[in-house]
Amino acid sequence: MSLALDALIVLTGCIHVLLAPYSKVEESFNLHAVHDVLMYGIRKLDQYDHFVFPGAVPRTFIGSVALAWTSYPIILLLNSCGFVLSKFDLQVIVRLVLTTFNAFGLCFFRRAVSRRFGRPTSFYFTIITISQFLVPFWMGRTIPNMFALLPVNVASGLLLSRPPNSPKPSPRNVYTAIAILTFTAVIFRAEVVLLLGPLVLQSLLLRHVSFSGAVKVALVAGLASIVTTTAIDSYFWKTTVWPEFSGIYFNVVQGKSSEWGISPPWMYFTLLLPKLLLFALPFSCFGFLMDSRIREALLPHIAFISLISFLGHKEWRFIVYVVPVFNVAAARAGRWMVSQRKSTLIGRLSFSAFCSMILINAVGTMMFAMASIANYPGGVALKRFNDVHPPSLVPHGKVYHVHISNLAAQTGASLFLQEYASPFPSTSLLSHTTSKNDTSKYPWTVYDKTENLTIDELSGSRDITHLITEWSPVEMRSRMRIWRIIDVDADAHITILDGAAVPVGSGTVGVINGSAGWKINWDMIGAAKALRLQEFGRLISESKWRDILWLSEKPMLWIYERR
């Protein structure tokens, strides 16, 4: 059963990666760093993407290099078996490796739950975790928080792992957890120090460790981490830098994080925590009230959320580390509710409430996942451009120059999708490729992400042969004699703009739709007020579900080619 639960956590994360393989702009630094390490190694730094698009503050390369090196032998194995068919497949494999490692962190934590609270609570913890959306969906995405999630979960598992009636964890586990959290705060995410503080304070008050021991471990781990990140990242950035300190100075001292928005102090508790936990949150509150062991585990995490609430800019990913512990509280409540005698009204209601929570979470996760899958038009557009222009169909010597707009670059157009441009993967990584020097069979394609270019500037540059842009045919109407949408289907709706035939809608390869959110037919819902339940059920059964609730899409990007 234990291995089956672990496999279920891993499988859930992998399914999310396969369903939504593209990436967003938040993931680009680490994803492109992994790409550059795989393509160039660690010596050809001048070719690295971060010198072209450095971002607001420098980020650490430690997680990206570790992920690339860990993925490398797996890529070799899969390539030798014929499973790697394109450069984009490398991105999928890298993300699968990351989600697997984060799943292993959750599995380690789950085993600590089993030891502390018993196997049933461990089982319910697993079911609750996989029924939620944000953590399983994002733990395979290369944002810094997902590199921090693994060590935080390991540290939380060490603090939790002990027999059910043990009053305190072993000092060794506590010191190891302090060292891990210090390492994570110094290298990956500085906000982890706000979790480390309450955990250390609790350990001191409950006499789990001595003050001198905690300070000694934190200082040694902190100094070693600073030396490590400064040495490695200074090499990759070609200047002396401690990335997380630069992030603290930029966001906190200079207050630049406010440029991304300021939220009220209560937002974490009233909006973002419910978004992370879904309907498990009230069960977490119940577990907090019923078990002193849960209170001991949760209090430092509640303090962490309270401390980070003083920062103006708030995002769910800043507090993602608390989710497993809150899920333990919900699982503890679930164990009590499910164990009640079903012959009593309270027992039946408790059982029904817990099962309903899991079902509602699962339905909500399915809806969130469907909307998110359709939320990467840039990745779809670039993949479609590559598919429409394979090397076999391109005239010899033809050079394509595709300009990728800001929206496309932010919604999935990663370096791994630049199939027909240097750097080409080595044959050990991708057997279905040609030598970097063999351009006779592999046409040269320029993927251009130059920002802030106008329609006139793009149209005036004869080098640019294709556009992937958010400009609709209406906005391009004055230039439609220069550009046309690629591969118009015969049944695409045609309209006339100043004498130029322009396809609109989604009946063409060159129009990429994106999610516009879930829509509800309130008129049909309102009909329920005038009908009895049986009649309304018949009305629903005779109608298509998509007439009542559907995922709306709208054109987001267009692919144009020069006439």
Side-chain angles (χ1 to χ4, degrees), residues 474-493:
V474 175
E475 296 169 290
M476 294 279 288
R477 59 188 299 164
S478 64
R479 294 294 179 179
M480 288 309 293
R481 291 185 177 86
I482 301 176
W483 303 98
R484 71 181 183 90
I485 299 178
I486 65 169
D487 285 6
V488 179
D489 293 344
D491 60 348
H493 179 62

Side-chain angles (χ1 to χ4, degrees), residues 334-403:
R335 178 185 181 183
W336 181 87
M337 297 170 75
V338 172
S339 65
Q340 299 304 298
R341 295 177 57 185
K342 307 305 182 294
S343 59
T344 65
L345 178 61
I346 292 179
R348 291 192 296 271
L349 290 176
S350 298
F351 181 80
S352 299
F354 183 76
C355 292
S356 298
M357 180 267 289
I358 297 297
L359 179 61
I360 294 172
N361 273 5
V363 172
T365 293
M366 181 185 68
M367 295 177 66
F368 288 136
M370 291 176 65
S372 297
I373 290 169
N375 208 22
Y376 297 87
V380 174
L382 194 50
K383 180 70 163 59
R384 195 173 292 181
F385 171 83
N386 293 332
D387 292 342
V388 171
H389 301 90
S392 59
L393 299 181
V394 178
H396 177 70
K398 178 72 174 179
V399 176
Y400 283 144
H401 186 133
V402 55
H403 181 268

Side-chain angles (χ1 to χ4, degrees), residues 236-288:
F236 281 98
W237 284 98
K238 294 188 174 182
T239 185
T240 304
V241 63
W242 171 10
E244 274 309 291
F245 179 79
S246 299
I248 295 173
Y249 184 78
F250 179 85
N251 290 310
V252 180
V253 178
Q254 293 184 322
K256 294 296 184 67
S257 63
S258 61
E259 296 177 4
W260 281 266
I262 296 178
S263 303
W266 54 83
M267 186 174 178
Y268 279 127
F269 288 104
T270 59
L271 180 62
L272 297 181
L273 192 59
K275 184 177 181 180
L276 283 162
L277 300 176
L278 300 180
F279 282 85
L281 180 57
F283 292 81
S284 299
C285 298
F286 184 36
F288 179 84

Side-chain angles (χ1 to χ4, degrees), residues 86-97:
S86 68
K87 191 194 288 189
F88 181 63
D89 288 342
L90 303 182
Q91 174 175 316
V92 177
I93 294 170
V94 165
R95 289 194 51 216
L96 286 172
V97 171

